[in-house]
Amino acid sequence: MHNNKKASKLSVIPLGGTGEIGKNLLVFEYEDSIVVIDGGVKFPEDELLGIDLVIPDITYLEKNRDRIKGLFITHGHEDHIGGLPFILPKLNIPIYGTRLTLGLVQAKLQERSPYPESMVHVIEPGEPIRAGAFEVEAFRVTHSIPDAVGYSLLTPVGRVIYTGDFKVDYTPIDGHNMDLGKLAAWGQEGVLALLCDSTNSERPGVTVSEKIVGKVLREWFERAQGKIIMASFASNVHRIQQAINAAADIGRKICVVGRSMENVVNTSIELGYLKLPQENIIIPSSEVGSMQPEKLLVLTTGSQGEPLAALTRMATRSHRQINVMPGDMVVMAATPIPGNEKLVGKTINHLYQIGAEVVTKEMGQVHVSGHANQEEIKLVIRLTQPRFLIPHHGEIRHQAGFRKIGQSLGYADEDIAITQLGSRVELLSDRMEFGERVEAGSVYIDGLGVGDVGYIVLKDRQQLAQDGVVVVVAALSKSKPYKILSGPDIISRGFTFMKEADALIDGAKKDVIGSIERQFEKDQIEWGALKSNIRDSLGKYLWEKTRRRPMILPVLLHY
């Protein structure tokens, strides 16, 4: 039980989104109340061979499920909502978010498992919601998707503010300004801690407004001779809106291609976040063939060069309905996510090879960041005047960049918490310290399996990818007199071309026979020991001869 003499602490626990970009999940805990913010996904790095998605490990939440009062969502980007179809069914807790955000979440949940309507609550910025010991209030922020919010949590030890992903855009496309007044008012009352987006903490100055992109798109669109294909993140509804407006102005129809793009566009039109300047401006892809190319804008996914996305298929001429033709203009309205540069480069090369004109952000501002640069981060710190700072949503370098910003504003190192996954930051009204860490990490999703592929399987995949596999098959008699009834046969995949490696195979067979005969000298054959002797001895032999370490699988039959 809690000892009442001692003041209870507020714990802030990042289970995702700290020390990394992606799979955001923040936990706030006070006595018997837990509030969760976001449940995102991360796309796998190259070394995660064959993994489709990475989500946060929620073991800690499963153990404490009955204390969770709700999950609040900041905005509809994959790195904040992509994990929910896997997380929510395990927790069965109420979820809160703005209309568009929940619309996108519902579409996601529908694909896997529907979530009970009674658990889904649409909220408006500015209305406080009671969640156990917390009073949670959303405030509007500007970001690269509409309806984005940050959250203030009023707790018994003080107010904590989490910005969510934000930039300060003074000319937002939908006219919804970031609620800086609210932040200033809270700052006057007193803010205990600020958790802040630190993605662009290394970039000086301020980010450019999304408005600029609209102007630049319009200029490029006017130059285009053939059809225009614009690839961007499906979720950037503001950019899609500007592209639609520009297309309508110059008399082009629009075709939306790619599953995620169709989902977002349909949801946004339905909920009123995308305004179509004229009836029937959007046409189905089946009509594209009969359209004059100079009357067409194709909105598509694939700005990241993903092998199966629509743009990549169009660029390699493997799309059912739409191909890129010489003279078409392809606008890459996005920045490669770190790690995707090669894939994007490959797609761009394909497009040039066909004879298309390619426009990237290096040639004109067809993309701007959705995250705050240094001056915007300073503004938010100055307005909220928090006692403590906790950089969130960034790799270690971004957290370090944020710490420098804090230092420049006069914060001492001990007032800035650099967290890792599973860190427990404990707050009282006058101090901040690290408590005992909780279980945290990554869960890999591969096909239909959630978490069944772990470190060991990945290590095997790596070995198979690097040096291949050698299978040794032999049949032995299982009682005395011991002898080899058939084999040993050696089969390999991805190791070396066996037909031309006679000497190597003969040597390998001799080595295996040696291992088997040494085991025959014992009274009793120990099958386990024999297998590991074959593995060790043959492994040494193959390493000496080829300097490779294939995976060795002995298959021993006994009759």
Side-chain angles (χ1 to χ4, degrees), residues 155-173:
T155 76
V157 295
R159 189 185 298 277
V160 176
I161 294 176
Y162 171 42
T163 62
D165 291 12
F166 81 100
K167 66 194 273 188
V168 181
D169 193 335
Y170 297 110
T171 50
I173 304 307

Side-chain angles (χ1 to χ4, degrees), residues 143-219:
H143 186 42
S144 51
I145 187 170
D147 247 9
V149 294
Y151 284 102
S152 143
L153 290 92
L154 190 54
T155 76
V157 295
R159 189 185 298 277
V160 176
I161 294 176
Y162 171 42
T163 62
D165 291 12
F166 81 100
K167 66 194 273 188
V168 181
D169 193 335
Y170 297 110
T171 50
I173 304 307
D174 56 7
H176 287 305
N177 290 306
M178 177 158 173
D179 202 343
L180 297 171
K182 192 64 155 242
L183 292 178
W186 284 328
Q188 292 292 308
E189 284 169 28
V191 171
L192 178 60
L194 171 72
L195 284 108
C196 186
D197 178 356
S198 56
T199 317
N200 282 352
S201 63
E202 298 175 300
R203 298 193 193 168
V206 292
T207 34
V208 176
S209 170
E210 182 66 46
K211 267 258 163 51
I212 299 295
V213 177
K215 233 175 77 191
V216 176
L217 286 178
R218 173 75 194 261
E219 287 162 14

Side-chain angles (χ1 to χ4, degrees), residues 467-544:
D467 292 321
V469 60
V470 170
V471 183
V472 180
V473 185
L476 315 179
S477 52
K478 66 168 168 227
S479 51
K480 290 188 165 178
Y482 296 128
K483 56 176 189 288
I484 298 175
L485 302 174
S486 81
D489 289 323
I490 295 197
I491 306 153
S492 88
R493 287 288 178 272
F495 166 59
T496 181
F497 189 55
M498 284 305 203
K499 283 198 175 120
E500 290 163 11
D502 292 343
L504 183 67
I505 291 178
D506 290 342
K509 283 184 177 166
K510 284 197 188 95
D511 186 276
V512 174
I513 291 169
S515 297
I516 293 173
E517 287 179 340
R518 280 195 293 283
Q519 192 59 246
F520 283 173
E521 290 159 16
K522 307 204 167 139
D523 282 348
Q524 201 61 49
I525 294 186
E526 291 172 33
W527 298 100
L530 175 52
K531 278 186 180 175
S532 72
N533 291 346
I534 291 176
R535 244 185 240 122
D536 296 346
S537 170
L538 182 57
K540 263 199 203 94
Y541 170 81
L542 292 175
W543 171 251
E544 272 160 23

Side-chain angles (χ1 to χ4, degrees), residues 299-532:
L299 290 177
T300 185
T301 51
S303 61
Q304 297 301 310
E306 312 93 321
L308 298 175
L311 178 66
T312 315
R313 299 209 307 274
M314 293 176 203
T316 51
R317 299 288 176 102
S318 57
H319 194 277
R320 280 204 320 279
Q321 284 144 328
I322 302 174
N323 282 321
V324 180
M325 294 306 198
D328 286 350
M329 177 184 280
V330 179
V331 180
M332 305 287 274
T335 279
I337 298 172
N340 283 0
E341 295 88 354
K342 272 198 191 117
L343 288 171
V344 176
K346 221 172 175 174
T347 301
I348 291 175
N349 282 328
H350 278 303
L351 293 167
Y352 275 122
Q353 205 163 7
I354 293 169
E357 181 176 6
V358 184
V359 181
T360 61
K361 78 166 202 329
E362 281 71 38
M363 301 170 190
Q365 246 161 345
V366 291
H367 172 72
V368 295
S369 174
H371 298 276
N373 286 7
Q374 290 172 354
E375 295 306 314
E376 294 149 271
I377 291 173
K378 286 181 193 166
L379 174 67
V380 167
I381 296 174
R382 275 287 175 250
L383 289 176
T384 51
Q385 308 169 48
R387 172 81 181 77
F388 301 110
L389 294 176
I390 308 174
H392 190 67
H393 199 283
E395 294 167 4
I396 297 171
R397 55 187 288 186
H398 306 120
Q399 294 172 297
F402 189 94
R403 181 168 55 201
K404 282 195 183 127
I405 296 172
Q407 289 162 340
S408 75
L409 297 178
Y411 281 83
D413 269 3
E414 60 269 21
D415 294 337
I416 307 171
I418 304 291
T419 59
Q420 299 166 320
L421 294 183
S423 292
R424 181 192 282 273
V425 180
E426 296 182 330
L427 291 161
L428 285 165
S429 56
D430 54 353
R431 65 172 198 275
M432 171 170 76
E433 56 205 15
F434 281 98
E436 198 178 317
R437 294 190 59 164
V438 312
E439 202 172 330
S442 296
V443 171
Y444 301 135
I445 295 172
D446 187 358
L448 295 173
V450 178
D452 57 351
V453 172
Y455 172 68
I456 294 169
V457 176
L458 283 171
K459 225 172 100 188
D460 287 350
R461 286 183 184 182
Q462 219 152 4
Q463 192 182 357
L464 289 167
Q466 283 161 359
D467 292 321
V469 60
V470 170
V471 183
V472 180
V473 185
L476 315 179
S477 52
K478 66 168 168 227
S479 51
K480 290 188 165 178
Y482 296 128
K483 56 176 189 288
I484 298 175
L485 302 174
S486 81
D489 289 323
I490 295 197
I491 306 153
S492 88
R493 287 288 178 272
F495 166 59
T496 181
F497 189 55
M498 284 305 203
K499 283 198 175 120
E500 290 163 11
D502 292 343
L504 183 67
I505 291 178
D506 290 342
K509 283 184 177 166
K510 284 197 188 95
D511 186 276
V512 174
I513 291 169
S515 297
I516 293 173
E517 287 179 340
R518 280 195 293 283
Q519 192 59 246
F520 283 173
E521 290 159 16
K522 307 204 167 139
D523 282 348
Q524 201 61 49
I525 294 186
E526 291 172 33
W527 298 100
L530 175 52
K531 278 186 180 175
S532 72

Side-chain angles (χ1 to χ4, degrees), residues 65-99:
R65 186 166 49 195
D66 44 347
R67 294 162 55 204
I68 304 176
K69 306 300 178 196
L71 185 147
F72 293 80
I73 310 165
T74 55
H75 63 285
H77 278 156
E78 286 297 313
D79 59 332
H80 295 258
I81 66 170
L84 294 177
F86 307 97
I87 294 169
L88 288 175
K90 290 190 172 161
L91 300 177
N92 218 19
I93 50 175
I95 59 171
Y96 300 85
T98 53
R99 261 182 62 212

Side-chain angles (χ1 to χ4, degrees), residues 220-259:
W220 282 105
F221 285 8
E222 283 173 347
R223 284 185 218 175
Q225 306 295 308
K227 64 177 171 291
I228 305 170
I229 297 170
M230 178 173 116
S232 97
F233 290 117
S235 56
N236 198 333
V237 179
H238 298 315
R239 193 159 304 160
I240 293 168
Q241 179 74 68
Q242 298 196 92
I244 290 175
N245 295 349
D249 287 350
I250 56 175
R252 286 183 183 247
K253 295 270 193 211
I254 291 145
C255 176
V256 182
V257 183
R259 201 173 56 116

